[in-house]
Amino acid sequence: MPSRARRRVALAVLAAPLAGCAVWRDPPQTAALVGRAPAGLPRRVELDATPFFAQTEYHCGPAALAGALGAAGLAAQPETLAAQVFLPARQGTLQSEMLAGARRHGAVAALLPGELEALLREVAAGHPVVVLQNLALPVVPRWHYAVLVGYDLDAGEVVLRSGTTRRATLSLRTFEHTWARAGHWAFVALVPGRLPATAGEASMTQALVAFERVAAPAAGLRGYETALARWPASLTLAVGVGNTLHAAGRPRAALDHFERTARRHASAAAWINAGTIALELGQRRRARDAAARALAIGGEWNDAARALMQRIDVRPRPD
């Protein structure tokens, strides 16, 4: 039997050729971007005016969020944000708290596709991107938030507002690895009325529904109207416009909008909303017509339509 020392030597000899064959390759997304940039994507962009806030211990989340909000024209200090989003027990900030913090300060927080190209296109559109990185190993993570503010495809690097460094450069290869280990999570914080360059209808709708819950009605309305102009076939966005019109104190405009939406989409829910507002305005015949149309469509909204019809019938009839 070979001794333990001889076995170690044998293993080392066997391993040597394998190590010699290793080749450092760019991860797939980096390789595709560096090799041939997609159409319309500039080779180099840097958003130098993006504010920078040096983080204090464990406060990379509030610092990154303050920078992104500042770039959108929404002033916020890391200390204020830390009181809202930082979780002392976890010594950090959850992704959900980052999104909620952006909304509370007047921004629509839209998640981005998990594609490096999407991040670069947002930067090229003038939108700094908040990214989550894992700077260690998957089994022993070290989570870190930073703000992507630039890239250079010829140099193969990105530029970040990160930690205590205003202009941190990182190779695209390394950035992709650290971002992938954090689940390709990233978002942009934009004022209502602006749309991300790459967010799709579903993610934008989700962002606006969440924003509406905490935003002033006028701000929610701006967001919905802009998105509906981009995706005019969306029933959810159309309903959002109607709801925020009503919440903004414009019931007649909301009623007209819901009736148009109900006809376009054959939507019982939109007819019920229209009938409810018509009843609120004292327009009983219009309300009854809307409830009847909702009942005619049938389906899951039947109970709500019947309830609306009962409310109409028990009221006094001034007309």
Side-chain angles (χ1 to χ4, degrees):
M1 295 289 292
S3 68
R4 183 176 300 174
R6 288 177 63 188
R7 285 201 300 272
R8 283 201 298 268
V9 171
L11 289 172
V13 171
L14 288 172
L18 297 176
C21 291
V23 177
W24 286 99
R25 292 187 175 88
D26 286 335
Q29 295 191 38
T30 294
L33 287 169
V34 172
R36 185 175 181 180
L41 184 67
R43 298 292 299 180
R44 182 183 184 279
V45 175
E46 184 168 350
L47 306 177
D48 189 62
T50 303
F52 171 64
F53 298 91
Q55 75 162 84
T56 54
E57 189 175 17
Y58 302 125
H59 282 192
C60 61
L65 184 54
L69 289 171
L74 302 167
Q77 295 298 313
E79 297 79 9
T80 303
L81 291 167
Q84 299 171 352
V85 305
F86 179 72
L87 303 176
R90 292 178 175 266
Q91 295 186 327
T93 303
L94 299 177
Q95 292 111 303
S96 58
E97 295 299 327
M98 292 286 283
L99 299 174
R103 295 176 193 125
R104 281 194 294 267
H105 284 265
V108 179
L111 290 171
L112 299 179
E115 302 164 2
L116 189 54
E117 179 185 339
L119 272 57
L120 304 193
R121 287 197 181 276
E122 292 299 334
V123 172
H127 307 153
V129 180
V130 178
V131 296
L132 179 62
Q133 299 170 274
N134 178 1
L135 302 180
L137 298 172
V139 292
V140 188
R142 184 159 67 91
W143 307 113
H144 179 67
Y145 291 105
V147 184
L148 179 68
V149 299
Y151 65 88
D152 187 331
L153 294 180
D154 294 324
E157 65 183 21
V158 296
V159 182
L160 302 161
R161 301 278 189 267
S162 180
T164 58
T165 305
R166 181 184 184 279
R167 190 180 187 278
T169 59
L170 198 64
S171 73
L172 271 167
R173 174 195 300 121
T174 300
F175 174 75
E176 184 178 344
H177 282 307
T178 62
W179 185 48
R181 289 198 294 264
H184 296 102
W185 191 85
F187 77 96
V188 290
L190 302 176
V191 293
R194 294 201 66 175
L195 295 175
T198 61
E201 178 183 342
S203 64
M204 200 62 216
T205 300
Q206 183 180 26
L208 285 167
V209 169
F211 179 68
E212 179 193 351
R213 296 190 185 109
V214 299
L221 178 59
R222 281 196 302 276
Y224 276 125
E225 286 181 332
T226 304
L228 185 60
R230 171 66 179 82
W231 295 288
S234 170
L235 174 60
T236 303
L237 292 175
V239 169
V241 169
N243 287 340
T244 48
L245 278 170
H246 184 261
R250 299 170 59 187
R252 287 176 173 78
L255 173 54
D256 291 342
H257 173 81
F258 273 125
E259 287 182 339
R260 289 194 300 270
T261 298
R263 291 188 180 96
R264 174 171 185 175
H265 294 275
S267 168
W271 278 122
I272 291 169
N273 285 356
T276 301
I277 297 172
L279 184 59
E280 175 188 310
L281 293 172
Q283 299 182 29
R284 292 168 49 76
R285 291 176 181 170
R286 198 170 175 181
R288 189 178 293 106
D289 178 68
R293 288 174 182 267
L295 283 169
I297 292 172
E300 60 180 318
W301 293 99
N302 263 356
D303 289 344
R306 290 192 189 97
L308 174 59
M309 190 68 82
Q310 289 173 357
R311 288 173 57 202
I312 295 167
D313 289 340
V314 298
R315 284 200 169 196
R317 299 192 178 191
D319 56 348

